[in-house]
Amino acid sequence: MKKADLSPPQSTINALIIALSIGAIPHIIYQPAWVGMMFVIMISWRLLHHWKSWPLPTASRWLKVLHNGIALLTIAILIAQFGLTIGRDAGAALLTMMLAFKVVEIRSLRDFYLSCFLGFFLVITNFFYSQSVFMVMLMLIVVIALGYCLLSVNSQASALNIKQRLWLSSKLVLQATPMMLFLFVLFPRISGPIWGLPQDANASQSAQMTEQLTLGDLPPSQGMSGINDQIQMGKISQLIQSDAIAFRVKFTDNELPPSAKLYWRGPVLWKTDGTVWSPMTEKQLQSPQPHIQISGSSYRYQMTLEPHNKTWLFALDFPTEQPQTLASHLTSDGQLNSDKPIKQRTQYSLTSSPSYTFNATAEPNLHAALQLPEGKHPQTLALAKQWQQQTDTPQQYISTALAFFKNDGFVYSLSPPRLNGDTVDQFLFQTKEGFCEHYAASFTVLMRAAGIPARIVTGYLGGDVNPVDHVLTVRQRDAHAWTEVWLPQQGWLRIDPTSAVSQQRIEQGIGRLLPPGRQSPAMLGNNNQLVAAWNSLKNNWNAFNTAWDMWVVSFGPERQLELLSKLGMSNPNWQKMTVALTLLFVLTGLVMMLSVWFKRPHLDPGVALYQQFCKKLARLGIEKADYEGPQDFARRAQATLPEYHHQIDKITSLFTAWRYRQQDEQTLSSLRKQIKAFIPKR
């Protein structure tokens, strides 16, 4: 007869609902609103069955049709939302929804087990969105809760109370932790993710760093700080300073360049239509490699770049080498690019020298650096012509332009007025308020109008050094734009017109220009001690997060080899790691076997011999009952095998003497000999 598959207690189902709800919270945040709404509806249906005796789908055919119909409707909405390609978001949403539907119809242990095991998959999918410390701790709670649920349906209420089940579940997780850590450290790493999902990098902007500097496709009234391969001057009335991290930098021996030289080079913009500035493609650029001459000090550092779905690899201006662990190339205009888009956190090491000459003898792209749209910027062109007549050399002209920005009432502002019409003319002669892109774009136009080759370079400027771990953190708010001009025998020279207006922005960073409320909580007021305590707490937390990102989330091949070298493995490679893992598994197996061996109850040697005697009789059909004593069993065996009456009596007497009177080696030896000689046959 088939064993009945009993339904688990409602209290255990409620515990499962709590565990799954905690595991689904991140998905409800990341997914469209209807996913969270449907999950809450299904879970509420199950809870109302317990609280208000609402019928479940299995109660009637119509409720089952309703349940299945809503499930089909959910799949249809899912396809309409994400299409037929199952990527990260679509797969996670489908799992979340199907799990909620499954909880509603739990009526057997099989259904309960299936929901529990799907819950573990739900835990894994959360790490597709975030691998932060908070997410790990939250999912650890879910794993312990799911373990509690499995223990609850496999133990009687009187055997283990709630506290004991929670402790046992936590203990199981703790016992698995050492093996997890060994696998994490020793399992050979590969460059790139272990698995790939279609459209992962584009699926959710919440998982990426902000890309825009001032894009025209943003709402016309505001924009987010960040980097893009275009700038559109004058369409932003308020620049929101994003605290999202762009990248982190760890300098060798903690030797950093001066703050004013922390220019992190990114996309180079050549072309303009009068408002929008954009780069040239690599096919349009002539000369495959720039000619760089280095002078002065060099700095060695490691970059940890956040994913941005572009090919840019930011480097301290100017890099003297290419990353060894990443396929990349250097364009002729000095932009370091990856061969593939950066879709995950990426680490690479570089060496840079802030003192350099760039294409000093010749520049094959000068024609592009002089291009201006026809019929644009008439006032700016007239001003440039006037300055040309007043100056004799390009250097004098550049100084005149910088003095114009410094002395003619220009203001650095994160909330400049919007510009209409000819944005350059309106900025230079009317509003005179703007941030870096206004000054870089207008200065570049002034240079080209005088026949001086110029281009815009975008990237980041500065960063915040954490005094705890000495890691430089560059955020999206540090996005910056400056100008490069080309002069004969000098090559490309960095000219930052923003410095003429706001020297503080260049030397101290954008953080000093933020409102006090952005630098520390407003509730702290002007209390210096509270502000200092807050900053200390923030620095330590940031240092912890940095260590977590570098040693856990971004634990790639380079970091793994570095750690194994520090742990004493000479010249680590995948063969040595495989051998170490094999030895680890063998040792772990031996430890487990020995643990089981020493924990098993060892029989009394006399009892073990007597069991051999009983097995010999059992082969002839004479089996000893559990309730039967040695003497009673001996009499029954003698009645069946009278020819062995004396041997059975002798063995039984020796065993009872050993067991109940005295345990000496002579008695045990005699018992062993008698049982060995006892070979009964019918």
Side-chain angles (χ1 to χ4, degrees):
M1 178 180 288
K2 183 178 179 180
K3 186 178 179 179
D5 191 5
L6 301 177
S7 176
Q10 183 62 42
S11 59
T12 306
I13 295 178
N14 291 341
L16 177 62
I17 289 175
I18 294 174
L20 296 180
S21 298
I22 297 174
I25 288 176
H27 285 306
I28 294 175
I29 296 174
Y30 292 126
Q31 299 295 336
W34 63 268
V35 174
M37 180 178 66
M38 197 66 70
F39 184 88
V40 171
I41 290 175
M42 290 296 108
I43 296 299
S44 299
W45 188 351
R46 183 73 204 201
L47 292 175
L48 287 171
H49 166 71
H50 173 58
W51 294 334
K52 301 292 183 179
S53 300
W54 278 30
L56 293 177
T58 55
S60 69
R61 186 179 68 178
W62 293 110
L63 286 176
K64 190 171 184 179
V65 169
L66 175 64
H67 182 256
N68 293 338
I70 297 176
L72 292 175
L73 176 63
T74 300
I75 295 176
I77 297 175
L78 193 73
I79 294 174
Q81 178 88 33
F82 299 104
L84 294 176
T85 301
I86 298 297
R88 178 195 64 180
D89 290 347
L94 180 62
L95 177 63
T96 304
M97 298 312 308
M98 293 300 100
L99 190 54
F101 279 95
K102 187 62 183 177
V103 170
V104 176
E105 60 181 17
I106 291 178
R107 58 177 178 176
S108 64
L109 288 177
R110 177 185 176 276
D111 295 333
F112 185 87
Y113 286 136
L114 180 59
S115 299
C116 274
F117 297 145
L118 286 176
F120 288 110
F121 283 97
L122 184 70
V123 168
I124 295 174
T125 58
N126 280 293
F127 295 112
F128 292 156
Y129 295 90
S130 172
Q131 300 88 38
S132 66
V133 177
F134 174 77
M135 181 65 74
V136 171
M137 298 304 297
L138 185 65
M139 292 304 105
L140 182 62
I141 293 174
V142 176
V143 169
I144 293 175
L146 291 173
Y148 167 87
C149 295
L150 291 173
L151 289 170
S152 297
V153 297
N154 285 281
S155 64
Q156 298 179 355
S158 59
L160 293 173
N161 57 37
I162 294 177
K163 184 178 180 180
Q164 290 172 327
R165 293 175 203 170
L166 285 173
W167 166 242
L168 182 56
S169 179
S170 303
K171 186 178 178 180
L172 291 173
V173 173
L174 288 174
Q175 289 174 343
T177 300
M179 179 59 70
M180 176 195 69
L181 293 176
F182 279 118
L183 288 172
F184 178 81
V185 172
L186 292 175
F187 194 87
R189 299 277 166 163
I190 59 175
S191 297
I194 296 177
W195 58 81
L197 293 176
Q199 300 177 345
D200 281 355
N202 298 317
S204 175
Q205 292 297 330
S206 63
Q208 302 175 39
M209 76 175 190
T210 307
E211 294 181 3
Q212 292 83 1
L213 180 62
T214 52
L215 276 175
D217 58 355
L218 289 175
S221 61
Q222 62 182 13
M224 292 290 289
S225 56
I227 291 296
N228 191 37
D229 56 3
Q230 289 186 345
I231 61 174
Q232 185 171 358
M233 179 178 170
K235 298 301 181 183
I236 304 299
S237 62
Q238 184 176 2
L239 186 64
I240 301 174
Q241 296 299 301
S242 170
D243 288 330
I245 294 175
F247 52 86
R248 297 184 180 94
V249 188
K250 179 65 174 177
F251 283 87
T252 302
D253 299 327
N254 299 324
E255 293 184 4
L256 281 74
S259 299
K261 291 188 176 182
L262 287 174
Y263 282 85
W264 304 96
R265 192 181 187 90
V268 181
L269 312 182
W270 295 79
K271 299 184 295 184
T272 178
D273 61 2
T275 302
V276 178
W277 288 80
S278 58
M280 292 199 298
T281 64
E282 293 189 34
K283 292 182 179 180
Q284 293 172 329
L285 291 170
Q286 299 182 23
S287 180
Q289 287 291 331
H291 185 261
I292 307 296
Q293 291 182 324
I294 301 301
S295 61
S297 301
S298 295
Y299 297 89
R300 182 74 178 174
Y301 54 94
Q302 184 176 60
M303 297 277 292
T304 303
L305 180 63
E306 296 297 313
H308 52 69
N309 201 34
K310 302 291 184 180
T311 59
W312 313 320
L313 295 177
F314 297 99
L316 183 66
D317 199 11
F318 195 89
T320 59
E321 63 178 15
Q322 296 180 24
Q324 299 298 316
T325 58
L326 187 65
S328 61
H329 60 279
L330 192 64
T331 64
S332 62
D333 56 3
Q335 183 176 333
L336 185 62
N337 282 341
S338 169
D339 292 349
K340 296 181 180 180
I342 304 300
K343 296 185 177 182
Q344 61 171 348
R345 184 179 284 111
T346 303
Q347 289 185 335
Y348 53 94
S349 297
L350 284 175
T351 300
S352 293
S353 177
S355 300
Y356 62 92
T357 56
F358 187 168
N359 286 0
T361 56
E363 170 55 56
N365 298 295
L366 288 183
H367 64 286
L370 291 170
Q371 175 262 336
L372 283 174
E374 295 184 3
K376 297 286 187 178
H377 325 311
Q379 290 181 277
T380 303
L381 296 180
L383 179 63
K385 185 176 181 180
Q386 177 185 341
W387 287 349
Q388 276 185 291
Q389 295 173 352
Q390 298 172 354
T391 57
D392 297 325
T393 63
Q395 290 85 349
Q396 291 178 354
Y397 181 88
I398 293 171
S399 298
T400 300
L402 293 175
F404 173 68
F405 284 123
K406 183 177 181 179
N407 302 321
D408 210 46
F410 285 89
V411 177
Y412 184 88
S413 173
L414 298 178
S415 55
R418 292 186 60 190
L419 302 176
N420 298 309
D422 194 309
T423 55
V424 175
D425 281 358
Q426 189 176 7
F427 169 68
L428 289 177
F429 299 99
Q430 296 180 33
T431 63
K432 297 187 177 183
E433 289 187 35
F435 37 86
C436 59
E437 72 167 41
H438 294 76
Y439 293 101
S442 58
F443 184 83
T444 304
V445 171
L446 284 169
M447 294 300 105
R448 291 187 177 188
I452 300 175
R455 61 193 182 188
I456 298 176
V457 182
T458 59
Y460 296 88
L461 173 62
D464 299 320
V465 179
N466 191 327
V468 177
D469 56 6
H470 304 287
V471 171
L472 179 76
T473 300
V474 178
R475 303 181 182 275
Q476 296 301 334
R477 69 188 185 203
D478 296 310
H480 194 58
W482 59 93
T483 300
E484 284 186 338
V485 300
W486 188 87
L487 299 178
Q489 306 307 316
Q490 298 184 55
W492 290 104
L493 302 176
R494 182 197 307 128
I495 306 293
D496 193 346
T498 304
S499 64
V501 182
S502 178
Q503 190 65 29
Q504 185 182 15
R505 167 67 182 97
I506 307 302
E507 295 181 352
Q508 300 183 19
I510 193 68
R512 299 290 185 179
L513 301 177
L514 296 177
R518 289 288 304 277
Q519 300 181 35
S520 62
M523 67 180 68
L524 300 182
N526 297 322
N527 190 309
N528 294 332
Q529 291 182 340
L530 291 178
V531 171
W534 166 259
N535 289 331
S536 176
L537 179 63
K538 182 176 66 174
N539 289 333
N540 281 277
W541 174 248
N542 289 337
F544 177 77
N545 274 322
T546 298
W548 175 265
D549 288 339
M550 289 185 175
W551 289 100
V552 179
V553 180
S554 300
F555 190 72
E558 185 177 3
R559 185 69 68 176
Q560 184 181 38
L561 297 179
E562 179 185 348
L563 177 61
L564 291 176
S565 297
K566 291 181 178 179
L567 293 177
M569 182 182 289
S570 60
N571 300 321
N573 52 42
W574 69 268
Q575 293 94 337
K576 291 183 179 180
M577 287 185 278
T578 302
V579 171
L581 272 178
T582 303
L583 292 175
L584 173 65
F585 282 123
V586 171
L587 289 175
T588 302
L590 289 175
V591 169
M592 293 177 65
M593 291 174 61
L594 291 174
S595 176
V596 172
W597 172 261
F598 285 113
K599 286 184 178 180
R600 63 181 295 185
H602 293 283
L603 292 175
D604 182 287
V607 174
L609 291 171
Y610 184 72
Q611 287 182 350
Q612 294 179 16
F613 166 70
C614 293
K615 287 180 180 179
K616 290 183 177 182
L617 292 174
R619 295 191 190 104
L620 301 179
I622 308 172
E623 296 184 4
K624 181 179 179 298
D626 292 338
Y627 58 82
E628 202 169 19
Q631 296 292 347
D632 293 336
F633 178 60
R635 283 191 290 269
R636 186 161 62 86
Q638 289 170 341
T640 306
L641 300 172
E643 63 272 26
Y644 297 101
H645 184 282
H646 177 72
Q647 286 181 278
I648 295 173
D649 184 65
K650 183 66 175 177
I651 290 172
T652 304
S653 298
L654 288 170
F655 172 67
T656 54
W658 166 269
R659 185 69 172 170
Y660 302 110
R661 288 198 293 272
Q662 59 182 6
Q663 296 184 351
D664 56 76
E665 186 59 34
Q666 184 178 357
T667 303
L668 187 64
S669 178
S670 299
L671 178 62
R672 184 180 294 107
K673 291 178 181 179
Q674 289 292 330
I675 293 177
K676 184 177 182 180
F678 180 64
I679 307 176
K681 296 181 180 179
R682 286 204 177 196

